[in-house]
Amino acid sequence: MFGPIHKNISKYIQLTENEFEYFSSLVKPRRLRKKQFILEEGEICNHECFVNSGCLRQYYLDEKGQEHIIQFAIADWWISDQYSFLTGLPSGNFIDALETTEVLMISKPDLEKLYNTIPKFERFFRIAFQNSYVALQRRILSGLTQTAVERYLDFSKRHPDIEQKVPQHQVASYLGITPESLSRIRKQLSRR
């Protein structure tokens, strides 16, 4: 159960066996059914979550009830509502499972204990946060400068595994286009 998260952490910091054992004692496993929420709008996000297996999505609903997908998270990815987690304010987002999913969760108080006990974890989570910020900036720039076709091609190139896991209407929501537009784009590209 802890093999994938150990491998993920080891990309950025090296831990002794005792350090990893302490970290593991703070992390709580959770199994989610399809459509089960890890976070709902109005709740405070109190955990950072590592996806061991499965797929999650983070989204918000606008005033018309239209869903806007912010992020997908598959195996070996971290997810949380950073705004709510860092400020302690209620989230405006939802995070739910798109299929049976296993996550490892660490609470904010336990994360602070971890930083104090094993300071190199601050480096790990700083790098993770920086990578997340870079991905977000890239996504914003893509939305501002690329056509729908370019956004789709970039998404399918970078995340072919996600495209295979999630329904077309959710890919369209993530790209900021209608499902019909995505269908036309796919048909157009298949003719090339």
Side-chain angles (χ1 to χ4, degrees):
M1 171 181 291
F2 291 102
I5 199 168
H6 189 270
K7 188 176 176 184
N8 181 274
I9 291 166
S10 295
K11 291 178 199 173
Y12 305 105
I13 60 173
Q14 298 308 308
L15 298 173
T16 66
E17 198 174 308
N18 286 343
E19 288 171 333
F20 186 72
E21 199 173 292
Y22 178 72
F23 168 75
S24 299
S25 74
L26 299 175
V27 173
K28 308 294 182 254
R30 183 168 174 200
R31 185 176 172 87
L32 301 160
R33 296 177 319 279
K34 184 177 181 175
K35 298 184 179 182
Q36 187 174 359
F37 290 95
I38 218 170
L39 178 71
E40 292 189 62
E41 179 183 32
E43 295 177 345
I44 295 172
C45 183
N46 291 312
H47 293 87
E48 290 282 350
C49 299
F50 176 80
V51 181
N52 239 4
S53 65
C55 184
L56 299 172
R57 68 177 170 159
Q58 180 177 1
Y59 65 97
Y60 76 95
L61 295 174
D62 65 21
E63 57 282 342
K64 295 177 186 172
Q66 183 73 32
E67 181 181 292
H68 300 275
I69 296 180
I70 299 165
Q71 177 186 3
F72 294 108
I74 56 174
D76 198 41
W77 288 23
W78 289 85
I79 189 169
S80 76
D81 179 338
Q82 287 293 317
Y83 173 79
S84 178
F85 185 80
L86 294 171
T87 65
L89 296 173
S91 176
N93 299 323
F94 298 86
I95 300 175
D96 71 353
L98 294 174
E99 60 188 25
T100 300
T101 301
E102 291 181 2
V103 296
L104 298 171
M105 305 170 68
I106 186 163
S107 70
K108 193 170 185 177
D110 283 343
L111 194 57
E112 290 300 326
K113 275 190 229 171
L114 184 64
Y115 292 159
N116 289 326
T117 307
I118 309 171
K120 58 183 135 180
F121 267 102
E122 284 192 299
R123 173 182 161 72
F124 173 76
F125 281 100
R126 176 184 51 80
I127 292 169
F129 186 73
Q130 287 171 334
N131 290 341
S132 175
Y133 182 75
V134 167
L136 177 63
Q137 268 197 321
R138 181 188 173 123
R139 178 145 184 245
I140 291 169
L141 248 142
S142 144
L144 295 172
T145 63
Q146 293 181 325
T147 66
V149 171
E150 291 169 330
R151 287 194 311 274
Y152 171 69
L153 288 171
D154 186 52
F155 174 80
S156 59
K157 179 182 169 189
R158 295 174 137 281
H159 308 294
D161 38 359
I162 294 175
E163 186 178 12
Q164 301 305 314
K165 282 183 174 273
V166 303
Q168 181 173 316
H169 73 276
Q170 291 180 354
V171 171
S173 171
Y174 178 83
L175 295 172
I177 60 178
T178 66
E180 295 78 20
S181 294
L182 181 55
S183 186
R184 279 192 299 276
I185 289 168
R186 282 179 160 169
K187 191 179 290 186
Q188 185 182 56
L189 291 172
S190 70
R191 291 186 197 143
R192 289 183 181 176

